Amino acid sequence: MERTKTCLRMNVPNVKMFAEKLTRKNIKVDYQEHSWGTIAKFYDPDGNLCAFKDSKKFEEQISDIKRMDQSKLNR
C-alpha cells in the first residue's frame, strides 16, 4: 500500500463533534486523543486524507513556540 504524503488539516474548536457528524454520514473516522491534542482523520470522496485537529491545543503550541523563540532572542 502506498503511503499518503499529504493531509489537509483543519483546526476546529470541537474535533469530537465534527468526527461524530462524519460518522453519522457513514464516513469512517480515525479519532485519536493525545497529550498534544485531539485529531480525527478521514478521507474525502476523492480519496484525499483530511484531518480535524483541536484549535485550542494548536494555538497553545504556537504560543509556546513564540515564547521559546522570544526567549532565544533575549539572550
Side-chain angles (χ1 to χ4, degrees), residues 2-17:
E2 186 178 329
R3 182 170 184 240
T4 302
K5 297 178 177 111
T6 59
C7 175
L8 173 62
R9 190 185 82 193
M10 297 155 274
N11 297 326
V12 297
N14 189 335
V15 175
K16 191 169 194 160
M17 180 194 68

Side-chain angles (χ1 to χ4, degrees), residues 10-34:
M10 297 155 274
N11 297 326
V12 297
N14 189 335
V15 175
K16 191 169 194 160
M17 180 194 68
F18 281 95
E20 288 171 350
K21 282 185 177 188
L22 292 175
T23 301
R24 284 193 298 272
K25 294 180 182 234
N26 294 318
I27 298 170
K28 184 180 174 190
V29 177
D30 179 12
Y31 179 84
Q32 302 172 18
E33 293 182 2
H34 302 277

Side-chain angles (χ1 to χ4, degrees), residues 1 4 8 13 17 28 40 44 46 48 50-51 57 63 72:
M1 187 164 125
T4 302
L8 173 62
M17 180 194 68
K28 184 180 174 190
D44 71 10
D46 292 324
N48 300 300
C50 301
K57 280 284 193 178
S63 293
K72 288 179 185 177

Side-chain angles (χ1 to χ4, degrees), residues 59-71:
E59 293 299 327
E60 290 172 2
Q61 291 166 344
I62 295 300
S63 293
D64 290 346
I65 290 168
K66 286 180 179 178
R67 276 194 296 278
M68 287 188 299
D69 288 346
Q70 188 63 38
S71 68

